[in-house]
């Protein structure tokens, strides 16, 4: 009897799996990543698909939240399950059960101590600005439209002030309840693709709305409404009101989450 | 009295305007360009906006139709109106009245004998193929997903057979009722942008579904299901069944319509 039990437990242990998912989503029709009372969230849709696949409620843990309308090319989440489905097959199984605007790009087994949020070493966000005379139709949900010509040189100068380790109080949504606001931005890189200005922000320990405030501030500098040096001043004075407005959600993409060992 | 009438007519003549519109649209939610019994068309939405702006029903004439789900970055249409609104202001006026997925990019006065369809000298279409292991979420409505690796070299070889003046019976939807199928394709250019293969087709006298059949044929060649030489054979034999399948509507963009004198 004990032997039987041991065998059973050994088998259970064997089939106990921790799986990471890399997820692309179009945030247009969702209230954001996290489960909320009002509106449908991306996390909820994936948990519902997982429940259908596994036959039981299973929670997933994302690398962090994204707001309503924000998109992801490579959000990461993990879950634990007792299942015979191989980790790399969840990619197929879940895509069959998910709506077309949420796609699992990859699924793979991770170590028992992997946690999508706590093990994340950094993130790559992208902000897309459509800088043209006329607003577009095709990219309207995937960029912020700015009809005023933007000076890329000024924006690049301002971006340099943001890079580095700073107290980012000025670039953090007011009322954010977190311990300390000192964070590191490794890179703020600007690029142009036709009428689009692409702002890539790579860093660790992101603060709520930081990338959207960085984008809004760079837009203000590009328009000539702020001087590049005033960006440094906003950081030094830790004053949110000295930075630019929070840029629109639909221009933001979570591109990649970095982990030391994948 | 006659003088009054002459003045009135002279004034009417003066304010009689022929306006061309350059239109970008996301075709996802429409039954196509042309007004149809079932479903909402892009032409209809623009005519409704024009009726609000001008206070009377006004027909617009497009450079040609696009199917349900097909997008445009630069469709051209014209209309005539007796109005005090300057031609270049229709850009603002109509955008205020149109849904966000239909945008007027530019409006300008054209000569009395300009006709968006009959004066068009050529068109630039683009077909976007998402060639990756996993289907995307963000670009799902703006590309065709092909999970099998595509051989660009073979596709480029096949594209060369399509360029030139040919009887395009093999690349034309069956049952198309038109006089003659000899047309010219100036260029079939392939490019790659990450996981996306971009097929640009420039030509004159397009036939129904031709670009989608070209794309479908290049995909078949890229997969290894057809030989590049078989594309020449399909053209020579004028046999639709020898060409590839019609690629999905949502990968197609009408990029630009060319006129001799703009």
């Amino acid at each position: 009897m004990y032997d039987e039990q041991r065998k059973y437990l050994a088998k259970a242990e064997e089939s106990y799996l921790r799986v990471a998912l890399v997820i692309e989503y179009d945030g247009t029709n969702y209230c954001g990543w996290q489960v909320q009372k009002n509106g449908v969230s991306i996390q909820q849709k994936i948990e519902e698909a997982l429940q259908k696949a596994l036959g039981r409620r299973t929670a997933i843990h994302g690398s962090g939240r994204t707001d309503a309308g924000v998109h992801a090319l490579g959000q990461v989440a993990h879950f634990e399950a007792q299942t015979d489905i191989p980790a790399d097959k969840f990619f197929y199984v879940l895509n069959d059960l998910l709506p077309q605007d949420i796609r699992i790009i990859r699924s793979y087994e991770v170590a028992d101590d992997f946690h999508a949020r706590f093990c994340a070493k950094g993130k790559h966000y992208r902000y897309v600005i459509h800088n043209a005379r006329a607003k577009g139709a095709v990219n309207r949900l995937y960029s912020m439209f700015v009809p005023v010509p933007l000076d890329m040189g000024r924006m690049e100068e301002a971006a340099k002030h943001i890079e580095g380790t700073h107290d980012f109080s000025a670039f953090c949504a007011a009322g954010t309840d977190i311990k300390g606001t000192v964070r590191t931005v490794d890179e703020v890189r600007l690029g142009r693709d036709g009428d689009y200005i692409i702002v890539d922000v790579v860093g660790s320990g992101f603060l709520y709305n930081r990338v959207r405030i960085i984008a809004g501030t760079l837009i203000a500098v590009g328009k000539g409404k702020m001087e590049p040096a005033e960006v440094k001043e906003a950081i030094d004075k830790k004053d949110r009101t000295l930075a630019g407005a929070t840029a629109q959600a639909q221009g933001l993409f979570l591109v990649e989450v970095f982990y030391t060992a994948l």
Side-chain angles (χ1 to χ4, degrees), chain A residues 162 168-173 208-210 213-214 217 231 234-235 243:
Chain A
I162 297 166
F168 277 102
S169 300
F171 286 81
C172 171
Y208 187 54
N209 273 355
R210 189 172 69 180
I213 299 170
I214 288 175
T217 303
V231 174
I235 294 172

Side-chain angles (χ1 to χ4, degrees), chain A residues 145-216:
Chain A
F145 173 58
V146 179
V148 183
L150 297 176
D151 184 328
M152 289 269 287
R154 287 170 57 92
M155 291 168 81
E156 272 161 1
E157 200 186 327
K160 290 291 159 226
H161 292 304
I162 297 166
E163 289 179 349
T165 302
H166 307 290
D167 183 323
F168 277 102
S169 300
F171 286 81
C172 171
T176 305
D177 179 24
I178 37 135
K179 291 176 198 147
T181 41
V182 176
R183 298 286 188 279
T184 299
V185 170
D186 297 306
E187 195 175 14
V188 181
R189 192 173 57 243
L190 278 91
R192 192 180 267 280
D193 180 8
D195 285 341
Y196 294 88
I197 295 174
I198 316 291
V199 183
D200 283 295
V201 182
V202 177
S204 55
F206 280 81
L207 296 163
Y208 187 54
N209 273 355
R210 189 172 69 180
V211 181
R212 286 169 61 186
I213 299 170
I214 288 175

Side-chain angles (χ1 to χ4, degrees), chain A residues 221-242:
Chain A
V221 171
K223 281 179 178 174
K225 289 192 173 180
M226 260 180 90
E227 290 305 312
E230 288 180 271
V231 174
K232 187 175 167 7
E233 197 189 327
I235 294 172
D236 290 346
K237 293 197 173 164
K238 301 169 196 175
D239 187 348
R240 172 70 191 90
T241 65
L242 296 178

Side-chain angles (χ1 to χ4, degrees), chain A residues 102-135:
Chain A
I102 303 176
R103 295 286 90 191
I104 309 297
I105 298 300
R106 198 156 81 87
S107 61
Y108 54 97
E109 188 171 358
V110 285
D112 285 353
D113 58 353
F114 176 87
H115 193 289
R117 182 166 158 221
F118 301 126
C119 298
K121 297 296 177 196
K123 286 180 187 172
H124 172 190
Y125 280 96
R126 176 169 295 161
Y127 199 88
V128 181
I129 301 162
H130 182 212
N131 189 28
R133 183 168 163 262
K135 193 173 176 187

